[in-house]
Amino acid sequence: MRATEIQEPGRPPVVVERNAPADVPGETLIKVTAAPITPLDLLCASGTSYFGRPRTPYVPGVQGVGTVEGGPVWFATSAGMAPGDGSMAEIARVPVNDVVRLPPGVDPVAIAALGLSAIAAHMALTWRGELAEGEQVLVLGAGGVVGQAAVQFARVAGARRVVAGARSAAARDRAERAGADAVVALDTEDVDELAARFAAVIDGPVDLVLDPLFGVPAAAAALTLRPGGRLVNLGSSAGETCPIDSATLRGRSLRLLGYTNNELTPERRAASLALIAEQVLLGTLSVAHESVPLRDAGKAWRRQYEGGATGRIVLTP
């Protein structure tokens, strides 16, 4: 079978011919139809992640979509985080508990582009953030896959107003197309200036902030929250530390909450993915993505790493 292979950490994968994985008890063989290149894949393959240097060679891909006995499924892998192979191949072998059945007719590329990022957006808003109908939501990093999905999920959950923040012009355009009521440029490191930009477009205090960035954007967003408001953090792409002052936390009795997909049970993850598939079928959930043949995985990997892609790249057979 054809597969991508990380042969040396820090270098893009190459496409090789491999023997198909053998069938073993407790696992299932999946004919892969779509495998996204995600930030986690890039991090793991760098050899510098908190998971340590991966054992090479290995097939990358922490998630994918495929078919089992003719039916569509989504699946997760631990490729790059533990010894073993992932989704970027024609056939993947996956533990049964990491496979989720999908409804017939769902677009595999659309689901692959959303995947774990959309699960994070949905569960951070609802399960962790306790989003209620009629609340106002501020989504940071809204041009990324998590952010785009969060804007749309906030709408589905009945938010009365969704304000977005994004850094680049292209990211702000994606946030606007996702349905944000207003989009703020996150192109300053001045907390007060950024807070003023948010204040100019929100309709009264914000109830919930979804934050995949941390750093200055999170500090500014905290200043928009109502007393008892919630900020859910699920990333740190703008900084590992955040200049939120104690007076803001104490004076407003704010709730700062952490979120990780690793805390989800398989059942909870499957339920979230079922909702994602439903929204895709309804046409109410999508993110910017592009499809690239598996044979061009090396070039696609470089473009995703360098930020030259139009959205999330999904490899297809």
Side-chain angles (χ1 to χ4, degrees), residues 144-159:
V145 174
V146 170
Q148 292 173 71
V151 169
Q152 294 165 83
F153 273 127
R155 287 276 185 234
V156 171

Side-chain angles (χ1 to χ4, degrees), residues 61 88 90 102-103 110 149 184 192 194-195 291 306:
M88 298 183 194
E90 292 179 321
L102 295 171
V184 171
D192 291 334
L194 195 50
S291 178
E306 295 168 358

Side-chain angles (χ1 to χ4, degrees), residues 75-207:
F75 63 94
T77 85
S78 58
M81 297 174 277
D85 295 321
S87 62
M88 298 183 194
E90 292 179 321
I91 299 173
R93 188 177 68 202
V94 181
V96 172
N97 288 341
D98 287 328
V99 178
V100 179
R101 293 282 176 179
L102 295 171
V106 71
D107 181 354
V109 175
I111 292 292
L114 287 157
L116 290 167
S117 295
I119 291 171
H122 172 233
M123 298 304 287
L125 282 173
T126 58
W127 177 59
R128 180 67 78 214
E130 300 176 353
L131 175 60
E133 187 174 355
E135 289 192 318
Q136 181 172 211
V137 178
L138 172 56
V139 178
L140 302 178
V145 174
V146 170
Q148 292 173 71
V151 169
Q152 294 165 83
F153 273 127
R155 287 276 185 234
V156 171
R160 65 177 176 86
R161 185 168 176 81
V162 183
V163 174
R167 284 176 278 191
S168 69
R172 293 193 292 274
D173 179 63
R174 290 193 292 270
E176 185 175 352
R177 284 188 278 115
D181 291 298
V183 183
V184 171
L186 306 182
D187 57 358
T188 177
E189 290 297 304
D190 186 317
V191 172
D192 291 334
E193 164 63 21
L194 195 50
R197 294 181 188 180
F198 289 140
V201 297
I202 60 177
D203 178 23
V206 168
D207 299 288

Side-chain angles (χ1 to χ4, degrees), residues 42-54:
L42 299 174
L43 176 63
C44 290
S46 72
T48 62
S49 81
Y50 43 85
F51 297 108
R53 186 181 177 91

